[in-house]
Amino acid sequence: MAEHTTHRSITGDDTAGAPALRRGRLSTASLVFIIIAASAPLTVLAGGIPTAFSVSGLLGAPLAYVALGVILVLFAVGYGRMSSRIQNSGAFYAYISEGLGNRQGIAAAILALVSYNMMQIGLYGMFGFSAAAAVSGWTGLDVPWWVAGATGWVIVAVLGVNKIDLSAKVIGVLVVLEFLVVIAVSGLSLGHAPEGITAQGLLPDQFFTAGIGVLLAFSIAAFMGFESGAIYSEETRDPERTVPRATYIAVGVIAVFYAFSAWALATGVGPGKVIEEATTYGPDLVFVWLAERSPVLSDIATVLFVTSLIAALLAFHNAAARYFFSLGRAGVIPRVFARSGTNGAPVAGSLTQSALSLLVVAVFAVAGLGSDLGDLYPVLTLFTWLTNAAAFGLVFLLTVTGVAILVWSSRQKDGAGVFTRVVAPLVSSIGLAVVAVLILANFDLMIDGAGPEWLVYVMPGVIIATGLGSLVWGEVLRRIRPATYAALQDNLDQVPD
């Protein structure tokens, strides 16, 4: 039976003198850009969509984005309602603690921290490869992937310890440029449709079939980070409205935009051969196709593909840093992680995240020396292994959060209707649970044989073991530091009824 603690209503910037992040930094537009940056629009167009076509063998990728968008909009109904009442930089921790109890909240927070870390660090593999390939293509210089990755690491590390609105401005510019390029590619695709503009890819028989599980498992990656809006609730100008509004906008934009982009790309390449082409070229499909029709746009897209990864790295870095901060403030991990700078940024968490990234990338750099995988080594190992495991962890956390929202909603006496209190969180939780199972069932396809067979069990196992170990740590904390454990929910910055 889940424990429940009576909460103190907090309306100021501080909880019993605990450290706080700087309020009033983020507007709705800034938060939307941060959320969308984590999904990296150009990365999805170049990497996610061709991969979905090639691995599933289906044209139904557009409908997969729509279906997942519906599930996540339903999730956002309760998520947004809860975020308007509880503002905390450790969103999963705060919401699951409130709904299911402290032990579960601690486990969720640590699992979220590990998942965001794996997602962020894994992206350095793709960034290093892409940046090195771009430099080589333009200058002929053979730059090691880890040297290119180090350049991105410096940028992210510097921005990570600065005020959040600086990161938001950088991310905002990059995301707008990404959108413009994706729109241009989509327009060019529709203008060069070799088989004409058809409804192929939008027909149910290309979605409701045997490959649906693969489509959903691969397509969910495009939405990773949509939940991060609540992480910044302490730093928004009007958290009661900003976070729910930004989450709805981001999910809606991502679902519609990616569905349209996937359909347009299939139309531009040709529905009859897009699967074959995607299998042949993989993430290079978009750039190869562009180079034949608009070399200038291909060069621009290549640059923005690299910068889109910078935006995603920064978005996930900021999310992980705020989980370090929230857990440190709560006493779940050493309180040194709760240190923030004069600019209101979670400096200790940010520096820790940067140090972890440097360490893991260095290990992969050394391990990859002389690898038979050649230039693709960082993509097939660091990127593929860590990001897919992280995706499973985040989808699993979203499922548990949906259950927590359902439980929390049942206790509220604010007059909300049955759809808001029960239907939306229940349906979204079931949908997310199905996607989590599909990721596990198709994990061998997701890592595409990039490594030994035991990785299929070890990488998801890391996520599961983290969750179970964190539950144990929550119980240990309850026994050896009961005062800290009992005070955990005092750190949930809750708006009065």
Side-chain angles (χ1 to χ4, degrees):
M1 179 175 175
E3 51 202 280
H4 178 63
T5 305
T6 301
H7 283 65
R8 207 158 40 87
S9 294
I10 305 293
T11 56
D13 290 346
D14 185 70
T15 303
L21 300 174
R22 186 69 59 85
R23 289 193 184 275
R25 292 289 191 189
L26 298 175
S27 64
T28 298
S30 297
L31 192 54
V32 169
F33 283 131
I34 290 175
I35 294 171
I36 293 178
S39 70
L42 192 52
T43 303
V44 171
L45 175 66
I49 292 173
T51 300
F53 282 137
S54 64
V55 177
S56 70
L58 298 172
L59 296 174
L63 290 181
Y65 291 119
V66 172
L68 290 168
V70 170
I71 291 172
L72 296 178
V73 164
L74 291 174
F75 176 86
V77 170
Y79 193 70
R81 179 170 173 244
M82 205 166 186
S83 69
S84 70
R85 300 281 296 281
I86 300 172
Q87 286 109 49
N88 188 280
S89 56
F92 286 129
Y93 149 65
Y95 301 166
I96 293 176
S97 288
E98 178 70 9
L100 303 179
N102 284 348
R103 269 190 305 274
Q104 293 85 344
I106 291 170
I110 296 175
L111 182 53
L113 180 59
V114 170
S115 297
Y116 281 124
N117 259 283
M118 294 177 75
M119 184 68 76
Q120 199 261 354
I121 296 172
L123 286 170
Y124 277 109
M126 178 64 79
F127 173 79
F129 167 79
S130 301
V135 171
S136 177
W138 297 327
T139 68
L141 296 176
D142 187 13
V143 178
W145 72 268
W146 52 267
V147 172
T151 304
W153 179 87
V154 171
I155 295 171
V156 173
V158 170
L159 289 174
V161 295
N162 274 280
K163 54 187 181 180
I164 187 62
D165 44 337
L166 176 60
S167 292
K169 290 173 183 175
V170 172
I171 286 173
V173 171
L174 296 178
V175 170
V176 168
L177 292 174
E178 284 184 69
F179 268 103
L180 291 176
V181 169
V182 175
I183 290 170
V185 172
S186 298
L188 192 63
S189 297
L190 296 178
H192 289 75
E195 300 173 29
I197 298 177
T198 72
Q200 286 291 325
L202 302 175
L203 301 176
D205 65 337
Q206 285 292 317
F207 179 64
F208 294 105
T209 186
I212 185 173
V214 177
L215 273 178
L216 291 174
F218 274 91
S219 300
I220 191 66
F223 294 88
M224 288 298 94
F226 91 93
E227 77 294 338
S228 63
I231 295 172
Y232 301 93
S233 58
E234 295 184 47
E235 299 165 270
T236 57
R237 295 173 185 171
D238 183 5
E240 294 181 58
R241 294 181 177 84
T242 298
V243 174
R245 189 184 301 151
T247 302
Y248 279 121
I249 293 172
V251 172
V253 168
I254 289 170
V256 174
F257 189 69
Y258 290 166
F260 172 76
S261 301
W263 170 72
L265 180 63
T267 302
V269 176
K273 61 179 183 179
V274 69
I275 294 173
E276 179 184 350
E277 294 285 288
T279 302
T280 300
Y281 294 108
D284 284 335
L285 171 62
V286 171
F287 303 109
V288 170
W289 185 88
L290 272 178
E292 296 173 353
R293 292 159 180 80
S294 176
V296 173
L297 185 56
S298 179
D299 288 340
I300 293 173
T302 299
V303 173
L304 289 177
F305 180 71
V306 175
T307 59
S308 76
L309 291 167
I310 284 283
L313 281 164
L314 186 55
F316 282 111
H317 174 98
N318 286 335
R322 278 151 184 80
Y323 265 96
F324 275 119
F325 174 87
S326 182
L327 286 171
R329 182 173 59 183
V332 175
I333 61 178
R335 295 187 186 275
V336 67
F337 291 104
R339 289 181 181 174
S340 57
T342 56
N343 57 13
V347 172
S350 183
L351 291 174
T352 302
Q353 178 63 25
S354 295
L356 285 172
S357 301
L358 184 62
L359 176 63
V360 175
V361 171
V363 169
F364 274 84
V366 173
L369 295 175
S371 171
D372 293 338
L373 297 176
D375 291 341
L376 283 172
Y377 171 82
V379 176
L380 297 177
T381 57
L382 178 60
F383 173 76
T384 301
W385 298 354
L386 269 66
T387 59
N388 281 311
F392 168 64
L394 291 173
V395 173
F396 175 75
L397 279 169
L398 289 173
T399 304
V400 178
T401 303
V403 175
I405 291 170
L406 182 63
V407 174
W408 175 82
S409 294
S410 69
R411 302 182 186 136
Q412 305 308 303
K413 308 298 180 184
D414 55 4
V418 67
F419 176 81
T420 300
R421 289 185 296 105
V422 179
V423 176
L426 178 61
V427 173
S428 64
S429 296
I430 294 172
L432 288 165
V434 169
V435 174
V437 171
L438 289 174
I439 292 175
L440 277 181
N442 293 283
F443 204 79
D444 56 335
L445 294 174
M446 297 184 76
I447 65 172
D448 194 25
E453 292 184 5
W454 48 261
L455 279 176
V456 174
Y457 307 99
V458 169
M459 296 311 295
V462 168
I463 297 297
I464 295 170
T466 298
L468 293 175
S470 300
L471 278 174
V472 173
W473 171 241
E475 179 61 22
V476 170
L477 193 64
R478 186 182 73 83
R479 292 174 181 272
I480 67 173
R481 289 160 58 189
T484 297
Y485 184 86
L488 281 175
Q489 292 187 336
D490 286 339
N491 287 288
L492 307 188
D493 200 5
Q494 190 170 27
V495 176
D497 293 339

